[in-house]
Amino acid sequence: MDLDAYLARIGYTGDRTPNADTLAALQRAHIYAIPFENLDPARGVVPSLALDDLMAKLVLDTTRGGYCYEHNTLYAAALRALGFKITLLAGRVLVGAKPGDLRPRTHMLLLVEAPEDSNRYVTDVGFGSEGALLDPIGLFQREIDDQPRRHQLGITHGEGPLEQRILRAFLDGEWKDQYSFTVEPFYAPDFEVINYYIASSPRSPFSSRVYVCRTFPDRQLKLDARTFTVAEADGTAVKRELADDAEVRTVLAEEFGIIAPDPKS
């Protein structure tokens, strides 16, 4: 892990002591610097989760981003290099789920421990949504005000032996479910399998359409297929439909800072 290169990429020049303040600063710096995008799965390419490949794509190449497995694998490596203890967790995405839906665990998030701190923190830089955490939340912390967002972490009904937690975001005047998880450890080989399925299955939303998200302190940009949305921190949003692939590439470059790769031959 080239920690200096990673910190330069996300524009972080602060303290490197592994504590809660450093973790919070790193999470925001990463989210603001590196966009969420699924351009590789959308063109039929399964992204590599090897650290060298992630460094090349997300750090050394400043014109690309990645999706959750890429972001959080890279982020976890950086946190370990700084002295944090990391447990990989898998979540069930609940955004858009109907009552009674049982979705598989396909989202990667992290549980982090810092030296001389009895708390454990949920941190996540790879949830490309307006409901994404901007700051870490303590595993036993009920609510945080991660301006301009708010989040709750509660306990929900689960049939297994482990407590099932649910992350909720305050959106459009109400609390909305984002994802659920337990603290059961997952490992890199588990996410290799999940990554392959999500990137290649025709049933996966990430293999069938382009989805890109770029978060700034004062606004969030989203591209869903050809729908381009600019959402301001005050909740107002403007949408427009892009005309064709050429305009999509232009918007990716000019608004998101992403140079789209050529379609897979």
Side-chain angles (χ1 to χ4, degrees), residues 53-214:
D53 293 333
L54 294 176
M55 287 291 296
K57 181 182 177 185
L58 275 68
V59 175
L60 302 180
D61 184 352
T62 61
T63 67
R64 290 296 307 274
Y67 66 171
C68 76
Y69 317 117
E70 297 172 279
H71 277 280
N72 280 324
T73 299
L74 177 67
Y75 182 49
L79 294 180
R80 288 191 184 102
L82 286 165
F84 292 96
K85 179 182 176 182
I86 307 300
T87 302
L88 306 181
L89 305 180
R92 302 183 192 277
V93 177
L94 302 176
V95 177
K98 299 176 182 177
D101 283 354
L102 181 59
R103 291 177 170 178
R105 296 194 200 189
T106 58
H107 179 60
M108 178 193 280
L109 59 146
L110 309 179
L111 186 63
V112 177
E113 298 174 58
E116 301 179 7
D117 187 340
S118 60
N119 295 310
R120 290 184 288 172
Y121 301 93
V122 174
T123 184
D124 185 354
V125 296
F127 197 55
S129 165
E130 63 271 24
L133 279 169
L134 292 177
D135 295 332
I137 185 169
L139 188 63
F140 299 100
Q141 189 172 359
R142 188 176 184 278
E143 186 173 326
I144 61 169
D145 191 7
D146 51 338
Q147 287 291 338
R149 302 177 184 175
R150 289 170 60 196
H151 285 88
Q152 287 181 345
L153 188 59
I155 305 295
T156 186
H157 173 72
E159 297 180 357
L162 299 178
E163 283 189 327
Q164 184 167 254
R165 287 169 167 79
I166 185 168
L167 181 74
R168 296 185 177 94
F170 193 73
L171 300 168
D172 302 321
E174 61 180 310
W175 291 104
K176 296 185 179 181
D177 297 347
Q178 300 302 300
Y179 52 75
S180 63
F181 62 95
T182 67
V183 296
E184 176 187 359
F186 276 62
Y187 300 94
D190 299 320
F191 286 108
E192 288 286 353
V193 174
I194 299 170
N195 174 51
Y196 183 83
Y197 177 85
I198 291 298
S200 62
S201 171
R203 298 178 62 184
S204 167
F206 287 123
S207 68
S208 59
R209 76 187 198 283
V210 168
Y211 183 83
V212 185
C213 179
R214 185 73 189 267

Side-chain angles (χ1 to χ4, degrees), residues 237-254:
V238 176
K239 294 185 179 182
R240 68 182 175 96
E241 295 298 317
L242 306 184
D244 50 29
D245 288 349
E247 189 175 13
V248 168
R249 285 179 171 269
T250 298
V251 167
L252 285 173
E254 294 181 355

